[in-house]
């Protein structure tokens, strides 16, 4: 994860800057060449993608040192900014469901897609929710 190996983090940042500039100046070429926009364009199952979003969400709070039972209190009233959500706002949905007041998603590419597979992924994320958390998630849609 970030912050534990300065050299590896620096290399990762430099690569990100270079690929962001490629994406900035020739976005279609970037997508065509890399076949990815973040998570990648692999043929992951819907469950694997939903698990990916759950893991990202969990990782953020592990890094912040927020225990799972304190996430709602931590997010309460907060505005979360997600850079690079890709074509599924999975992490944003989880942030709202867990108590964020609102989430602003910004991506270099207009990728949001409510394809049948993406809707299935969103439904899988919501199937793991109940009560107030589920109600907050439903409001998004």
């Amino acid at each position: 994860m970030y912050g534990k190996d300065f050299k590896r983090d620096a290399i990762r940042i430099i690569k990100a800057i270079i690929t962001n500039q490629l994406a900035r100046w020739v976005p279609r070429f970037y997508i065509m060449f890399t076949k990815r926009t973040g998570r990648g364009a692999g043929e992951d199952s819907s469950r694997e993608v939903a698990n990916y979003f759950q893991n990202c969400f969990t990782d953020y709070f592990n890094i912040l040192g927020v225990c799972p039972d304190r996430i709602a209190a931590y997010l309460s009233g907060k505005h979360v900014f997600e850079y690079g959500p890709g074509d599924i706002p999975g992490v944003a949905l989880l942030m709202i469901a867990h108590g964020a007041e609102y989430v602003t998603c910004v991506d270099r590419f207009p990728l949001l897609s409510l394809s049948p597979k993406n809707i299935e992924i969103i439904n899988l994320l919501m199937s793991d929710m109940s009560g107030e958390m589920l109600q907050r998630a439903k409001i998004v849609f």
Side-chain angles (χ1 to χ4, degrees):
M1 199 44 65
Y2 304 112
K4 295 182 180 173
D5 181 344
F6 178 76
K7 183 177 177 182
R8 193 170 85 204
D9 290 348
I11 290 169
R12 191 172 190 169
I13 290 168
I14 290 167
K15 284 182 181 178
I17 290 169
I18 291 169
T19 57
N20 280 345
Q21 291 308 307
L22 176 63
R24 176 182 182 196
W25 297 106
V26 282
R28 291 187 200 281
F29 176 73
Y30 172 81
I31 293 171
M32 182 182 71
F33 180 72
T34 63
K35 304 281 191 255
R36 59 184 298 161
T37 60
R39 241 185 341 93
E43 292 301 318
D44 296 336
S45 73
S46 297
R47 175 44 69 190
E48 288 171 322
V49 176
N51 288 345
Y52 166 81
F53 289 126
Q54 289 280 7
N55 290 336
C56 288
F57 179 82
T58 301
D59 286 347
Y60 292 145
F61 292 99
N62 285 339
I63 290 168
L64 290 169
V66 177
C67 18
D69 62 334
R70 300 291 303 146
I71 291 173
Y74 182 84
L75 285 174
S76 180
K78 288 206 169 72
H79 176 189
V80 177
F81 180 81
E82 183 182 4
Y83 177 74
D87 64 344
I88 309 170
V91 172
L93 176 66
L94 292 169
M95 293 288 180
I96 290 290
H98 284 83
E101 188 165 330
Y102 56 99
V103 178
T104 299
C105 297
V106 176
D107 206 311
R108 173 69 177 121
F109 308 103
L111 298 173
L112 179 63
S113 168
L114 294 179
S115 68
K117 181 176 181 179
N118 289 356
I119 291 170
E120 181 181 359
I121 292 164
I122 290 166
N123 284 330
L124 283 168
L125 288 169
M126 290 172 56
S127 73
D128 295 334
M129 300 174 191
S130 62
E132 185 180 335
M133 188 183 301
L134 180 59
Q135 291 306 313
R136 290 178 59 80
K138 284 182 176 181
I139 289 170
V140 173
F141 297 100

